[in-house]
Amino acid sequence: MKRVFRRYAFALIAFLSTVLITLFNREIGMKTFIIAEDSLKQMLGVLPPVMLLLGLMDVWVPRETMMKYMGDDSGFVGIAFAILIGSLAAGPMYAAFPFTLVLLRKGVKFSNVIIFMNAWCVTKIPTLIFELTALGYEFTMVRLLMNLPGIILMGYLVERFLPRDERDKLYMDAEKIQQQSG
Amino acid sequence: MGMTLILYGSAFVLLMVSYGKDKNKTKKAVLKAWKSFENIMPQFLGIIFIIGITLAVLRPEVISSILGESSGIFGVLLASVIGAITMMPTFVAFPTADMLLKNGAGYAQVAALVSTLTLVGVVTFALEAKHIGKKAAFLRNFIAFIFSFVVAAMIGMVLGG
């Protein structure tokens, strides 16, 4: 019980702050609740099925397969897969986080994990469609042409600047979580 | 709505196929799915209120008045910071960006905003660090922040002025 309370303390504080704001400024407070409700609905629309797909990928795709196609020696194919999986995704940025643990555990090259995350953020197909309809062809195309090489470069930069021991530790920690969950 | 249907539908079908092939593996997959979901919840429930407060305070008219074409590099910087600290779903972000452009914001500034909105997440930083570590999460966000200036410059050159 105490553990649950500690884990949810931040959420509780955020909620109480909003209640407090509402007491002082009804308009901003109510608007906050409406936006929070929208975000919650949006989350329920995508997160549960996306997490189920992640769970299925975790148990059905063997580590060897992932390493072969996205591991240290996967080269261009690994990059292509990282961008492809990220682009086919659905859901906000934070929905990508649980995927990173699975990718690390399956021995995916670190730059490819980052490329996947950034692809999830910018080259995701639903995102591109929204951008196209709201901001037009030229804006979307220029941004996409910048983003494609950009996310690859950023993946390599993060891997390059992250200390080796730190990276090894991430792979080891991801492994440990695997053992805990059986 | 369509997307939700596709997602729930494909998750359901694949789950059934998986169950037909191997009950135990499927149970394990569902358990893992629940764990990943529950892992996000505590922070997510806090984050939605913070997003709500920032969006309720920062109205589009306020933002576009400070991000005009003449705001130059300072405007680009400010837009990047606003984009990094706020978080909104893409179906809100892009129409907002369009509204900003129509209200007189510059192309480079809006590009910087859109770029950091999609790539950089200050509110979700703690959650990200929980999954890929503080250092890697910092590096990813920082490099993406810098990259947004390049995108802003390019869009400004092609579409602006």
Side-chain angles (χ1 to χ4, degrees):
Chain A
M1 191 60 210
K2 204 173 158 192
R3 215 178 73 95
V4 173
F5 183 76
R6 279 245 304 266
R7 287 193 64 210
Y8 284 87
F10 166 60
L12 202 65
I13 292 168
F15 172 74
L16 292 176
S17 310
T18 310
V19 173
L20 206 68
I21 289 171
T22 315
L23 293 178
F24 286 101
N25 188 327
R26 217 184 123 77
E27 202 199 321
I28 288 182
M30 291 318 280
K31 222 173 147 189
T32 303
F33 276 114
I34 292 169
I35 295 166
E37 194 196 329
D38 279 349
S39 311
L40 192 70
K41 276 188 196 150
Q42 192 219 0
M43 182 279 283
L44 287 176
V46 291
L47 212 55
V50 168
M51 292 301 113
L52 279 173
L53 293 172
L54 171 68
L56 288 172
M57 179 181 109
D58 197 357
V59 297
W60 285 107
V61 183
R63 186 181 152 93
E64 296 71 44
T65 313
M66 284 296 252
M67 275 183 83
K68 186 175 161 207
Y69 291 109
M70 293 177 80
D72 279 332
D73 305 316
S74 60
F76 177 75
V77 176
I79 296 172
F81 265 108
I83 295 179
L84 190 73
I85 305 175
S87 303
L88 287 176
M93 189 202 284
Y94 55 79
F97 299 157
F99 277 81
T100 60
L101 279 184
V102 176
L103 295 181
L104 288 173
R105 202 187 301 147
K106 302 253 180 206
V108 168
K109 189 175 170 20
F110 199 72
S111 58
N112 285 341
V113 175
I114 301 295
I115 291 171
F116 157 80
M117 286 176 86
N118 284 338
W120 185 300
C121 296
V122 291
T123 58
K124 202 169 44 181
I125 290 159
T127 301
L128 286 177
I129 294 171
F130 281 128
E131 183 169 356
L132 208 58
T133 40
L135 292 165
Y137 177 76
E138 229 183 338
F139 191 96
T140 311
M141 272 307 143
V142 175
R143 226 168 72 82
L144 185 64
L145 285 177
M146 298 284 302
N147 280 334
L148 274 177
I151 56 178
I152 298 170
L153 182 70
M154 286 191 279
Y156 278 88
L157 284 176
V158 172
E159 184 180 279
R160 174 81 181 70
F161 286 122
L162 189 71
R164 231 214 131 79
D165 53 331
E166 176 81 14
R167 201 201 319 163
D168 294 341
K169 197 175 157 295
L170 286 174
Y171 281 94
M172 261 156 52
D173 288 349
E175 200 75 36
K176 262 188 237 150
I177 293 168
Q178 158 86 332
Q179 279 156 7
Q180 277 163 13
S181 66
Chain B
M1 199 56 222
M3 180 136 88
T4 300
L5 222 60
I6 293 170
L7 280 173
Y8 272 90
S10 43
F12 181 76
V13 169
L14 288 174
L15 212 60
M16 285 299 122
V17 172
S18 170
Y19 193 78
K21 279 193 165 176
D22 190 329
K23 270 188 198 173
N24 271 332
K25 265 194 173 177
T26 310
K27 269 185 200 157
K28 225 165 138 183
V30 173
L31 208 71
K32 277 172 190 257
W34 167 250
K35 267 198 104 171
S36 314
F37 184 76
E38 211 277 330
N39 224 347
I40 291 184
M41 270 317 100
Q43 262 140 330
F44 172 81
L45 291 176
I47 288 167
I48 57 172
F49 286 104
I50 294 181
I51 297 169
I53 296 169
T54 33
L55 291 189
V57 175
L58 286 172
R59 292 194 316 277
E61 308 88 76
V62 180
I63 308 178
S64 42
S65 67
I66 41 179
L67 297 184
E69 196 88 59
S70 58
S71 63
I73 191 102
F74 175 73
V76 171
L77 182 69
L78 198 65
S80 305
V81 173
I82 295 174
I85 54 177
T86 44
M87 208 185 95
M88 41 177 116
T90 40
F91 62 82
V92 178
F94 292 123
T96 306
D98 183 48
M99 197 161 27
L100 293 178
L101 284 172
K102 284 178 181 142
N103 279 321
Y107 270 100
Q109 290 78 7
V110 170
L113 180 80
V114 167
S115 196
T116 50
L117 261 180
T118 43
L119 276 168
V120 184
V122 171
V123 254
T124 48
F125 182 80
L127 193 59
E128 182 172 347
K130 214 172 129 188
H131 291 86
I132 61 165
K134 262 189 203 141
K135 272 187 196 154
F138 173 78
L139 279 170
R140 192 195 70 79
N141 280 286
F142 181 73
I143 293 171
F145 186 79
I146 303 290
F147 175 70
S148 297
F149 286 89
V150 185
V151 175
M154 196 64 182
I155 297 246
M157 246 157 45
V158 178
L159 295 161

